[in-house]
Amino acid sequence: MNEEEKWYFNTETGEAELGKVSPLEQRMGPYASREQAQEAWKIAKKRNEQWDEDERRWKAGWDEGHRD
C-alpha cells in the first residue's frame, strides 16, 4: 500500500482523508481504512479525557496530602 492509498484524519476538519491532503500538524495517521482513521480520533479524544481526569485526581490527591 503506497502513501496515496493510506487514510489520515484531519484534526481541524474532523474528516478522514485519502492521502496526505492536509498539513502535517493537522494530520493523524496513516491508517489502512477510512473507518480506522475515524475511529482513531475517537480513541484519541477518549484517552485525552481520561488523562485529564487522571491528572485532576492526582493533583487533588497531592493537594489533600500536602496541606500545612
Side-chain angles (χ1 to χ4, degrees), residues 1-63:
M1 181 180 291
N2 64 40
E3 291 300 314
E4 290 80 30
E5 296 172 342
K6 294 181 181 174
W7 286 87
Y8 295 83
F9 186 83
N10 184 319
T11 59
E12 291 292 316
T13 65
E15 298 293 325
E17 302 172 335
L18 186 58
K20 294 180 178 178
V21 178
S22 57
L24 178 62
E25 61 273 4
Q26 295 177 0
R27 236 181 16 237
M28 291 174 51
Y31 304 97
S33 70
R34 182 181 193 284
E35 292 76 22
Q36 287 178 353
Q38 289 289 139
E39 188 65 20
W41 182 242
K42 293 175 190 173
I43 291 168
K45 284 179 67 174
K46 187 175 181 179
R47 286 181 181 163
N48 286 343
E49 290 169 0
Q50 184 61 53
W51 288 333
D52 289 345
E53 178 62 17
D54 291 348
E55 183 176 27
R56 184 195 64 74
R57 286 184 184 164
W58 182 82
K59 286 180 178 179
W62 176 264
D63 290 343

